[in-house]
Amino acid sequence: MKHLFITITIFICLSVAAFGQRESKEVQMRLKSIASAVDVTEAEKKELILSIKKLIDGAKEIRAAKTEHMELELRENSLRYLTEVLIILDDERYEKWQEEVKRKNSERKTN
């Protein structure tokens, strides 16, 4: 009985650790991309997380619908996200982030 209790307790702890993350890995990855390039406040992080979630959810809905103009809708969804990021940050920080993304992408292509 003691072993069963210990096993159940360990399982619950691991489940909470695995599924109890506040944000998905994709959200964390996109937020980290921005936060590593420019300084953002906690309030801005919250706004960015909402924008990232809208981007991801919108893309999932578009792909699930499989419409004729799916590529156009995905592009519009992406542009909405980038516009929201621009508004949250500002011109200077947005440009700095974009340059950092371009630099990392070119590094990946050369490696």
Side-chain angles (χ1 to χ4, degrees):
M1 187 69 171
K2 186 177 180 181
H3 292 285
L4 179 63
F5 178 73
I6 292 172
T7 304
I8 291 172
T9 304
I10 291 172
F11 177 75
I12 290 171
C13 291
L14 291 175
S15 297
V16 168
F19 298 107
Q21 293 180 352
R22 292 181 58 196
E23 307 303 336
S24 71
K25 288 186 180 189
E26 187 173 359
V27 171
Q28 291 175 4
M29 182 183 71
R30 288 180 178 275
L31 181 61
K32 182 180 177 184
S33 167
I34 297 169
S36 67
V38 296
D39 293 329
V40 291
T41 65
E42 287 301 315
E44 290 170 334
K45 281 183 183 180
K46 289 178 183 178
E47 290 180 59
L48 289 167
I49 288 170
L50 290 175
S51 294
I52 294 166
K53 286 181 178 180
K54 282 197 289 187
L55 169 74
I56 294 168
D57 293 343
K60 285 179 184 177
E61 288 177 15
I62 293 167
R63 287 190 177 95
K66 296 181 182 179
T67 63
E68 180 180 329
H69 305 286
M70 185 171 75
E71 289 301 317
L72 177 61
E73 291 174 15
L74 286 170
R75 202 170 314 131
E76 287 174 356
N77 188 46
S78 180
L79 287 173
R80 252 190 316 273
Y81 163 70
L82 292 174
T83 303
E84 288 179 14
V85 172
L86 174 61
I87 292 168
I88 293 168
L89 298 177
D90 55 43
D91 291 341
E92 186 178 326
R93 291 186 296 164
Y94 179 84
E95 290 298 324
K96 186 176 178 182
W97 168 60
Q98 287 294 296
E99 289 300 320
E100 184 69 20
V101 169
K102 288 177 188 175
R103 185 185 64 75
K104 286 182 180 179
N105 286 341
S106 68
E107 285 177 3
R108 285 187 196 136
K109 288 179 183 178
T110 58
N111 289 335

